[in-house]
Amino acid sequence: MDKGNLLWIMPLLAASGGIFCRFFKDPRRILIFTCNMVLGIGLLGMLAAAAVFKQGQLTGSAGWFNLDALSAYHLLVLMIVYALSSFYAVDYFAADIRSGEFTPAMAQRYGTLWLASLATMIVVLIADNIGIMWVGMETTTLVTAFLVSIYPKRIAIEAMWKYLIICSVGIAFAFIGTLLVAASTSGIADAAGSRFFSWTSLRGVAGQLNPQLIKIGFLFSIVGYGTKAGLAPTHSWLPDAHSQCPTPVSAMFSGFMLNAALYCIIRHAALTNLVLGTAFFTQTVLVVFGLLSIIIAAAFILSQHDLKRLLAYHSVEHLGIIALGLGLGPVGAFAAMFHTLNHSVCKALSFFSAGRLGQIYGTHDMRRISGALHVSPVWGAGLLFSLLALIGVAPFAIFISELLIVKAAIASHAFWSLFIFIAGSSIIFVGALQHAIPMAWGKPPSLVEKPPVIKTIEVAIVFGSLAMLLFLGVWMPNGFRDVLSNAARIAGGL
């Protein structure tokens, strides 16, 4: 079979699976069905990515879809996050299924939206058309908004509307950026037709595009997609939505949806670099947004009491670190690609742990969560070590990717950026530790319910994720290094 066909099969399969969820009546069967669908689509994604890493790129659907090293790498990260979150969801919702709080209708809606969101994010990654990519990202907002309020509580509905309104405004900015890129083709022969607005075609005529419109278009794009990516100062929807989502959704939001929005920015930046013949303009803008995100996250992390809001601000911090890395040249772009995977796996694990401990303690208030290592050794260890990894403790992989960003800053003589990055990270390090230590080793409250029996799959999720972060922290296989290098080269655009 032509492996290019995998590109349209994957989103079609995910969307079809979402429709099939409407025919199941048993919530647990729906959750298991989503696991099987994600595994099957993940296998197809691995086949497609392997073909890209071997052959260079895949094209499908008469050129409408394209998978190169950058999008293939993000596709693999997407599938890892969805697979972990799907399996975690089965036990996360178990208690609510037994109590009747998670009804069959809610499970049908959850399964449909979960697989639909997977389909739209795949479209964002494989679209070889600037307009389709925007449509895909806009659709992720519409689909995932209703996942925020899957439990129809007042505060969750408020968070959903905040997310929907702010991200819709952001996506409107991204639409203007898309129109400006399209307008930059004015006067070029054979520019008519939507196929001309494929990334491949735009790169082919980069020397003829209007550089001023491209620069302004990039600014609109980074503000627009940056809103969805949670970059400061347009991140305000993120803490509310993350704290009110069911935990598998929080993990998916932070583990990949933010990356998908940043991926759109990377595509616009690469084209802008190619048109201008230099990366100075986009790198400067990315560094500014990255540092601003780190500073604001540092300021808010110190004052948080809700565990999921704390993790949401860590998302702002780490998306800022990725943006900073992208703004520091080729070494920084390599580090940013590495950090993308590290943050996704680590943040998914931290949300999983926060969700299960929240069920055990009956709250996400960190002042009332103490002695987690004693109460639930598996999830307590998951929370403690994922927090340590998030703040850059060695030998976890995040330490290595942040060290590479320091190296990139020194190599590019960006000493002010380096100073702000280290200062912000140091504040976050101290702020996170002051929360993590009492949660892990404090005296457990007397009213904590007896934790449920830990399933094998939960142990595998916790320690498998930690093992991956440790493994990549001490050794990077040559094949994986090549994947990161190729993705970083495409992100640079030059």
Side-chain angles (χ1 to χ4, degrees), residues 206-245:
Q208 304 175 60
L209 300 179
N210 185 317
Q212 294 306 319
L213 289 177
I214 288 289
K215 287 172 72 173
I216 299 171
F218 174 71
L219 292 176
F220 273 95
S221 298
I222 195 169
V223 171
Y225 290 123
T227 301
K228 188 72 178 283
L231 291 176
T234 54
H235 64 287
S236 58
W237 65 270
L238 196 147
D240 290 340
H242 279 48
S243 61
Q244 296 307 317
C245 287

Side-chain angles (χ1 to χ4, degrees), residues 357-375:
L357 289 173
Q359 290 177 327
I360 293 169
Y361 284 83
T363 180
H364 291 122
D365 189 332
M366 290 183 284
R367 295 167 296 188
R368 296 168 57 191
I369 299 175
S370 59
L373 283 173
H374 174 76
V375 172

